[in-house]
Amino acid sequence: MRILLLTEGSRGDIEPFLALAVALKKTGYDVIFSAGKNFADMVGKTDVSFREISVDYQEIMKSGEIGSLHGKNLFVTFLRSWRNIKRRFVPVIRQTLHEAWQVASDADAIIYHPKSLAGYHIAEKKKIPAFLFLPTPLLVPTKEFPLPLLPFDNCGALLNKVSYNISKLLLLSYHNVINKWRKDELGLRRKSFFDSYLHINGNPIPVIHEVSQSVIACPADWPDHAVMPGYFFLDHSAWMPPDDLVSFLAAGPPPVYISFGSMGYSDPQGLTQTVVEAVRQAGQRAVIAIGWGAMAVPESADDIFCVEHVPYSWLFPQVSAVVIHGGAGSVAAGLRAGRPVIVCPFFSDQPFWGKIVAAHHAGPQPIPIKQLTSEKLAGAIRQCLDDQHIKQSAAVLGEKIRSEDGLGKAVAYIRDAIGQYS
């Protein structure tokens, strides 16, 4: 059987999904991995076949449209993104829908990330087994907590569950584009805005949440087809670090790691200055990964080492604390390493993950990026290094996560579900 894993987005979206592809390949499936062209090198380091989508998400995330959204609430973000999508991204969406249909031509089953807007519709057309992959519990309603895109901890059982309908608003900007593609290229009927994306051809779609139950307990009111097997981590054991990084790590106490990943920012130079000043106020050294545009390259100094990217699984066990934007993937990696995590959220689900970290006492309360100052960040770093409760809580949580086999459970679930498909 040939399984297509279809995803789009940033490294945080791609890496755990690729880990699943590698695990499926090892069990004997013929696996195809499809993502933006800027991830060809990453996939090329595995034995999984790659079919690229021509969009470059790194360039999109560097754009002014994305960078200007940080610090706004959900509704401002939605309204602004709707306007920007109509102006700039609709042609990109049209192209990615078309290309996704082409790469799926010989697929017998499909596992898709919700950012890949084509996945659901391809499975409907081909009448093949479909699985929805989610690194954050955004789509399956529960009474236990509201939609993680909302700035509320708990709205009460009824409103918590109802809040998940808001996620449909995120499809509104490109609803007509999808329907035109469904009609013109797939020959399918128009899909109503009110139709469910959790059922397909009369059957519920298995939803695989790539989250550890040590971090979020699986909601008791979820249906049986919504599962939470654990985190997925890509094996980087063969990666060789550059000599200068090894030398920097050996030259002093464990540094703080700081990166805002795939985020864009309106003032990269200013943010970089804030970060460097915070490190020095806290009396620490730092490894700074500049990511996709939130930060600029800092000036060379003995206490600061700048990298573009280093595998988290290699670096995080060697640092004292982790400062990140709060994407699901970077939070998972920080917690797995057992290091205190400081979340500086920009938007989307990042404030949610920041609160989760703080609730586990694995880090301080999140500092929204618009409120970040060198004094606040320095204080958070000192708190992580001085507070024994935070350090111990992070270490214990890391041990739990490292003992889990999220990939193994996910592969077994997929195998069983495919076997039962009719």
Side-chain angles (χ1 to χ4, degrees):
M1 169 172 279
R2 179 166 293 159
I3 302 178
L4 170 66
L5 283 85
L6 186 63
T7 185
E8 297 173 19
S10 65
R11 178 179 284 270
D13 300 305
I14 304 300
E15 193 159 306
F17 211 54
L18 181 56
L20 178 59
V22 171
L24 288 167
K25 176 80 172 181
K26 288 181 179 178
T27 64
Y29 288 108
D30 182 6
V31 178
I32 301 166
F33 192 87
S34 180
K37 62 182 181 181
N38 48 310
F39 292 104
D41 288 345
M42 181 193 295
V43 182
K45 293 180 173 64
T46 71
D47 61 352
V48 173
S49 298
F50 181 61
R51 295 180 183 175
E52 74 174 36
I53 302 294
S54 61
V55 63
D56 186 334
Y57 273 88
Q58 187 166 354
E59 288 303 315
I60 290 177
M61 293 304 295
K62 286 180 178 178
S63 72
E65 288 91 345
I66 297 296
S68 66
L69 296 179
H70 61 79
K72 305 298 193 302
N73 64 43
L74 172 68
F75 301 103
V76 172
T77 298
F78 166 68
L79 291 172
R80 184 172 292 186
S81 63
W82 189 5
R83 184 182 66 224
N84 292 335
I85 284 171
K86 283 183 174 296
R87 183 177 69 249
R88 174 173 176 175
F89 297 142
V90 163
V92 174
I93 292 168
R94 288 196 190 102
Q95 183 67 21
T96 57
L97 290 170
H98 171 71
E99 292 178 3
W101 176 230
Q102 291 180 317
V103 304
S105 60
D106 54 353
D108 302 309
I110 185 169
I111 307 172
Y112 63 96
H113 191 292
K115 287 184 181 177
S116 175
L117 303 176
Y120 175 96
H121 311 280
I122 290 171
E124 179 184 351
K125 173 64 177 179
K126 292 176 69 68
K127 295 182 172 60
I128 57 177
F131 301 83
L132 177 56
F133 170 93
L134 282 171
T136 302
L138 293 173
L139 298 180
V140 183
T142 176
K143 297 177 182 178
E144 297 184 14
F145 50 82
L147 177 72
L149 299 179
L150 294 173
F152 311 116
D153 294 331
N154 196 321
C155 304
L158 178 59
L159 289 179
N160 282 348
K161 196 161 189 174
V162 170
S163 70
Y164 286 79
N165 290 312
I166 295 174
S167 62
K168 287 188 175 182
L169 291 175
L170 302 177
L171 290 174
L172 187 58
S173 298
Y174 28 79
H175 182 68
N176 289 336
V177 177
I178 291 173
N179 269 324
K180 188 175 190 312
W181 170 72
R182 280 173 61 93
K183 176 179 179 294
D184 295 348
E185 196 154 358
L186 304 188
L188 295 174
R189 67 168 180 82
R190 179 180 178 85
K191 188 169 179 65
S192 168
F193 176 72
F194 299 101
D195 287 347
S196 170
Y197 275 88
L198 296 177
H199 290 77
I200 191 166
N201 294 324
N203 297 309
I205 298 175
V207 186
I208 301 170
H209 296 84
E210 187 252 335
V211 181
S212 167
Q213 292 195 46
S214 298
V215 177
I216 301 177
C218 188
D221 58 345
W222 269 4
D224 292 341
H225 60 89
V227 298
M228 192 180 284
Y231 285 128
F232 307 163
F233 296 104
L234 193 62
D235 180 12
H236 290 289
S237 58
W239 185 80
M240 297 299 293
D243 291 342
D244 53 352
L245 174 57
V246 174
S247 297
F248 177 81
L249 293 171
V256 177
Y257 172 85
I258 303 174
S259 178
F260 301 122
S262 59
M263 295 297 97
Y265 195 76
S266 56
D267 182 13
Q269 294 285 351
L271 182 56
T272 303
Q273 182 177 350
T274 296
V275 165
V276 170
E277 288 176 356
V279 170
R280 290 172 177 159
Q281 287 177 28
Q284 300 299 313
R285 306 190 308 147
V287 173
I288 296 179
I290 58 174
W292 284 11
M295 288 195 292
V297 177
E299 292 184 10
S300 298
D302 292 341
D303 58 346
I304 303 291
F305 190 93
C306 182
V307 297
E308 184 172 343
H309 175 75
V310 177
Y312 294 152
S313 59
W314 183 88
L315 180 60
F316 282 7
Q318 304 182 71
V319 304
S320 58
V322 175
V323 181
I324 51 178
H325 60 295
S330 57
V331 168
L335 295 179
R336 181 201 194 195
R339 296 297 182 262
V341 175
I342 301 169
V343 175
C344 303
F346 285 61
F347 62 94
S348 188
D349 60 334
Q350 297 159 15
F352 170 81
W353 289 115
K355 292 176 184 177
I356 292 292
V357 168
H360 282 283
H361 305 289
Q365 290 295 323
I367 309 171
I369 198 67
K370 288 294 282 186
Q371 300 174 21
L372 187 69
T373 64
S374 58
E375 291 77 15
K376 287 182 179 179
L377 182 54
I381 292 171
R382 285 192 291 264
Q383 182 181 358
C384 285
L385 301 184
D386 296 340
D387 189 323
Q388 294 302 313
H389 181 49
I390 286 180
K391 292 170 71 173
Q392 181 64 22
S393 297
V396 170
L397 185 55
E399 289 178 3
K400 291 179 180 178
I401 293 171
R402 292 192 298 273
S403 71
E404 298 169 352
D405 183 16
L407 276 173
K409 290 180 180 178
V411 169
Y413 177 75
I414 291 167
R415 182 183 61 240
D416 292 346
I418 288 176
Q420 297 171 13
Y421 184 82
S422 60

